[in-house]
Structures are given as C-alpha cells and as structure tokens.
Amino acid sequence: GATAMRNVILSISLIAVSSLLPACTCIARDAETYRQDTRSLVETRNSALKECYDAALVTDPNISGEVVVNFTVEKKTGKIINTAVNEGSTAPSSLGDCIVDAIDGMTLDPFDQRDGEATFTWRFQANPPAA
C-alpha cells in the first residue's frame, strides 16, 4: 500500500557482563564486536519486524512510535533470553509484543563466554499518503 516501514535502530547498548571463567573454547568479544554481532543477528529478522508493522498498519494506518526491547544474550548458549518490551516504548503494545516474539530465542553463533545485556530501539513511522 501507500504506507511503508522505515525502521531505524536509534540506539543499541550492549553491556558484556564480565565474569571469571575457566579456560574454554568459547570466544570473548570486545564490547563493540559484541554489539555489532548482536545487531547483525537481530537484523536477520528485519522481514519479520516489517510483517509486525504491516499487521499493525491494518489496524491503524497512521501507527507510529518507538519500540524499546531489552534482552540478554546468554553466555555459553548465545541464546536471546529474557526478552521484554521496555516501559520507554511509545508504540502500541501489540507491536512491541510482535517484535519480542520475532527475536526471542535467536542464537548468537559463536556464543560468548559472557552474558550480554542489550537494549534495542526501533522507530516506526507511517509514510504520509502521496499527494
């Protein structure tokens, strides 16, 4: 239709939680690499996130706002866990819930020897109809 999604990741913060572990074959990314690898993983779901927004547009063709999602990248498995919409979100909760469902359980490969705490923000804006 005339509306399309522009999803912009406004901010990504990922904090690697340091811990002392015995020697293992897993890797220890620096903070920037951890951030980039996690972003790349989440971006593989862009088509699913677009589907979330397209479904929301059916209900409200002018829907817009931000969805802020917090999650943990679990050490030793790389699995995205504890995924939840942050109270700072301004988009309808149904859109946030759809995004949580789309990324929850994804796996970062190779995994890291540390947990990573992440916050991702997406801004959704309906394009105005053509004149």
Side-chain angles (χ1 to χ4, degrees), residues 12-72:
I12 301 170
S13 61
L14 183 77
I15 301 164
V17 180
S18 56
S19 58
L20 296 174
L21 295 174
C24 67
T25 57
C26 50
I27 65 171
R29 295 168 174 87
D30 62 48
E32 184 58 31
T33 302
Y34 211 150
R35 187 177 301 112
Q36 290 172 352
D37 289 353
T38 303
R39 178 179 179 167
S40 295
L41 174 67
V42 170
E43 285 178 347
T44 66
R45 292 287 170 92
N46 279 352
S47 63
L49 302 182
K50 183 182 184 313
E51 289 172 13
C52 288
Y53 189 57
D54 288 345
L57 286 170
V58 171
T59 306
D60 178 359
N62 297 312
I63 198 167
S64 61
E66 290 183 356
V67 175
V68 182
V69 176
N70 299 324
F71 60 85
T72 300

Side-chain angles (χ1 to χ4, degrees), residues 49 52-53 56 63 65 67 85 91-100 124:
L49 302 182
C52 288
Y53 189 57
I63 198 167
V67 175
V85 176
S93 60
S94 58
L95 180 55
D97 292 344
C98 186
I99 290 173
V100 164
F124 295 90

Side-chain angles (χ1 to χ4, degrees), residues 58-115:
V58 171
T59 306
D60 178 359
N62 297 312
I63 198 167
S64 61
E66 290 183 356
V67 175
V68 182
V69 176
N70 299 324
F71 60 85
T72 300
V73 180
E74 187 177 45
K75 66 184 176 188
K76 297 188 179 180
T77 68
K79 187 174 181 180
I80 290 179
I81 60 171
N82 302 327
T83 311
V85 176
N86 184 290
E87 63 187 33
S89 296
T90 58
S93 60
S94 58
L95 180 55
D97 292 344
C98 186
I99 290 173
V100 164
D101 290 343
I103 65 171
D104 190 52
M106 296 182 75
T107 303
L108 184 64
D109 185 28
F111 58 84
D112 202 275
Q113 68 182 15
R114 298 164 296 168
D115 284 327

